[in-house]
Amino acid sequence: MMALLMDTRLLMRKLKDLRSLTPRRNRVKEKWAATRPKYPPTTLALQHFDATYSIQLGQLWPSVRVALLSEKKYGALLNNFSYDDVLADLQAQGSRDFISDTDTQAQPCLEHKSADGVEEESSVDAVKKSDLSGQQLSPLQLSLNIKCAVFPRGDITRFKSARPDMFGLLSYYLMDAASVLPCLALDVQEGHSVLDLCAAPGGKTLALLQTQAIRFLCANDASVSRTLRLRRVLHSYVPKEVLTAEKLRITSFDGTKWGEIERNTFDRVLVDVPCTADRHSLMEDDNNIFSKSRTGERRGLPQVQLELLLAGIEAACPGGEIVYSTCTLSQIQNLRVVEQAICLAGENHGIRLEVVNLQPLTHMFKKTFHFAPDLELGEMVIPHLAANFGPIYMCKLKRLT
Ligand SMILES: C[S@@+](CC[C@H](N)C(=O)[O-])C[C@H]1O[C@@H](n2cnc3c(N)ncnc32)[C@H](O)[C@@H]1O
């Protein structure tokens, strides 16, 4: 019995010695496990969305929730600057360009919700009361230079990574296909000057450049590191001749201050704001806006979004058009921001705006995306298991003064 006790003690001491020799990385792992938050940001995001979207979306929420928690679907934005024409290859794999392959019954133009004759009313009331004027914008001809391949509904095949052509340019860029819609809604015309206020990492900038119609493009992003990513993306897809200082300016300014730098200038302005990025927030704990340390930043988002949209409105020229977009379902970050911006642009800057009806666009692409029904302002792609794109919200405004 005594011998057995001695053996056990010896064994315990040996184990203790062994533990002190354990490689450092294992000890770090133990510490990591002990300090792991009880509620990781992805869990907090899901709790928040369950509480808010179950009310906002009602019966739609359970199916949107399942889609958001499932693997997202990509589109391949074709690079017109690449020597390799890969559309035929992608079609042979079963995908199709959703932009040229639209619903043939759809109207090919956008309509304006006119706010004429109601100057003395608050601009939001005016916009809400207004009827469709039937006034027609030009057809989305130049936007048709933008091509984006997607696999059919229910087909979750993944695209392979793009390969460089003989000049080192990549033939397509993988992105959420619904992200192309705000670029189409912007309806860039030949010779336009365009401001992309929150441009990095550059998917939408690249889509806009595919029109090959822009006279001058200014791509801005407040984050220096993300602006570097934007530069890298552009250099991987666009020839040097297009990236000259006369045609393209890349900046890293705080977009909320843009009105102090440049007003009444651009024909088109894209305001693709930072938001709760719902899909990312549910999937990735890293860099998640729902982490406890970023609560203040998250709560401040609607104010930043409002300031960015107001700056974008000021940067547009009278007659110019602005598209506001997000990748969240949140009404507070979408509809409410646009409503307030319309009010404040009128009250503080004397700028009258009208909301452009994007329904014709949603009709064109209803084969590819699920759109939220009956939104008061703007349009929204909602995730669906059979077409797992989005969420993408977009609202288009036209400056009248
Ligand atoms: C949704 S992302 C833009 C995505 C981009 N448009 C694209 O398609 O690749 C929002 C961007 O806004 C930038 N941002 C945040 N605050 C900003 C500000 N005050 N001014 C300008 N950009 C800002 C972020 O760095 C982020 O890159």
Side-chain angles (χ1 to χ4, degrees):
M1 186 65 186
M2 204 53 193
L4 186 67
L5 205 65
M6 288 296 285
D7 279 357
T8 314
R9 278 193 189 147
L10 209 68
L11 197 67
M12 296 286 278
R13 197 170 305 142
K14 281 224 153 84
L15 267 174
K16 205 172 161 194
D17 289 350
L18 258 179
R19 229 181 287 147
S20 69
L21 290 174
T22 311
R24 204 175 163 72
R25 63 192 158 92
N26 286 357
R27 275 189 274 149
V28 169
K29 201 171 175 185
E30 264 175 41
K31 194 174 168 208
W32 173 81
T35 56
R36 196 163 174 237
K38 193 168 164 200
Y39 298 108
T42 44
T43 308
L44 295 174
L46 187 58
Q47 284 170 359
H48 179 86
F49 295 154
D50 276 334
T52 51
Y53 296 155
S54 57
I55 298 166
Q56 187 190 310
L57 297 175
Q59 289 177 339
L60 280 176
W61 174 233
S63 71
V64 173
R65 186 185 197 268
V66 169
L68 272 175
L69 292 168
S70 308
E71 189 172 324
K72 68 176 175 182
K73 221 171 145 168
Y74 282 93
L77 174 75
L78 272 294
N79 184 16
N80 295 329
F81 299 107
S82 166
Y83 188 79
D84 292 341
D85 182 5
V86 289
L87 184 58
D89 283 352
L90 295 177
Q91 282 169 337
Q93 289 167 34
S95 69
R96 66 183 175 93
D97 169 26
F98 84 83
I99 298 166
S100 56
D101 183 17
T102 54
D103 186 334
T104 47
Q105 301 299 306
Q107 297 160 265
C109 54
L110 304 179
E111 295 167 328
H112 287 183
K113 281 183 179 176
S114 168
D116 278 351
V118 281
E119 264 164 300
E120 62 289 351
E121 293 180 79
S122 108
S123 1
V124 173
D125 288 346
V127 167
K128 281 187 188 158
K129 282 180 199 163
S130 68
D131 297 324
L132 288 183
S133 67
Q135 186 187 347
Q136 294 192 339
L137 264 184
S138 53
L140 298 167
Q141 272 167 358
L142 286 162
S143 297
L144 291 180
N145 284 345
I146 305 176
K147 296 183 192 72
C148 184
V150 292
F151 284 99
R153 292 173 67 82
D155 182 339
I156 55 166
T157 308
R158 292 183 196 165
F159 289 99
K160 294 181 193 133
S161 305
R163 280 198 298 230
D165 68 7
M166 58 196 281
F167 301 107
L169 297 179
L170 295 169
S171 49
Y172 55 84
Y173 180 85
L174 296 181
M175 63 195 289
D176 185 332
S179 291
V180 177
L181 295 181
C183 305
L184 297 177
L186 203 60
D187 191 26
V188 167
Q189 301 291 307
E190 191 70 46
H192 271 169
S193 61
V194 179
L195 168 64
D196 188 353
L197 195 57
C198 308
K204 296 187 189 70
T205 316
L206 198 56
L208 292 171
L209 284 169
Q210 299 306 315
T211 61
Q212 304 196 16
I214 298 176
R215 173 175 50 81
F216 179 72
L217 174 68
C218 181
N220 176 69
D221 197 283
S223 155
V224 174
S225 59
R226 287 175 66 93
T227 308
L228 275 175
R229 265 178 78 190
L230 166 74
R231 277 185 195 279
R232 274 202 296 274
V233 167
L234 293 183
H235 281 100
S236 306
Y237 286 86
V238 185
K240 287 192 180 67
E241 308 82 79
V242 182
L243 301 177
T244 59
E246 304 87 65
K247 294 180 182 160
L248 176 76
R249 189 171 76 202
I250 300 177
T251 53
S252 278
F253 296 134
D254 175 355
T256 61
K257 308 271 187 297
W258 202 273
E260 294 166 20
I261 313 170
E262 217 167 23
R263 283 192 287 269
N264 307 327
T265 305
F266 294 93
D267 300 296
R268 296 287 186 268
V269 181
L270 179 62
V271 187
D272 186 38
V273 294
C275 66
T276 44
D278 297 356
R279 199 182 273 277
H280 174 86
S281 295
L282 286 174
M283 288 300 177
E284 297 274 338
D285 280 321
D286 278 353
N287 189 27
N288 191 315
I289 191 103
F290 282 85
S291 66
K292 287 265 191 263
S293 60
R294 296 182 70 188
T295 305
E297 185 189 342
R298 178 165 58 82
R299 293 202 177 130
L301 276 174
Q303 182 59 30
V304 174
Q305 291 159 345
L306 174 62
E307 288 176 24
L308 284 166
L309 179 52
L310 279 169
I313 290 169
E314 276 195 277
C317 59
E321 297 179 350
I322 305 106
V323 170
Y324 173 79
S325 57
T326 73
C327 52
T328 176
L329 297 161
S330 160
Q331 232 173 23
I332 296 170
Q333 297 174 64
N334 296 336
L335 171 77
R336 299 286 167 248
V337 169
V338 177
E339 273 180 343
Q340 281 195 59
I342 294 172
C343 263
L344 292 177
E347 280 173 19
N348 297 349
H349 305 287
I351 297 175
R352 285 179 54 229
L353 296 152
E354 68 180 4
V355 177
V356 181
N357 181 12
L358 294 176
Q359 258 180 19
L361 197 77
T362 65
H363 283 301
M364 281 171 84
F365 301 122
K366 64 175 188 243
K367 201 159 86 179
T368 307
F369 304 104
H370 276 254
F371 291 95
D374 309 323
L375 251 55
E376 275 176 66
L377 270 181
E379 299 292 341
M380 184 159 69
V381 173
I382 52 173
H384 187 281
L385 271 185
N388 207 353
F389 302 110
I392 291 289
Y393 172 82
M394 59 191 165
C395 186
K396 180 167 179 169
L397 303 171
K398 182 179 170 73
R399 262 187 75 162
L400 299 177
T401 54

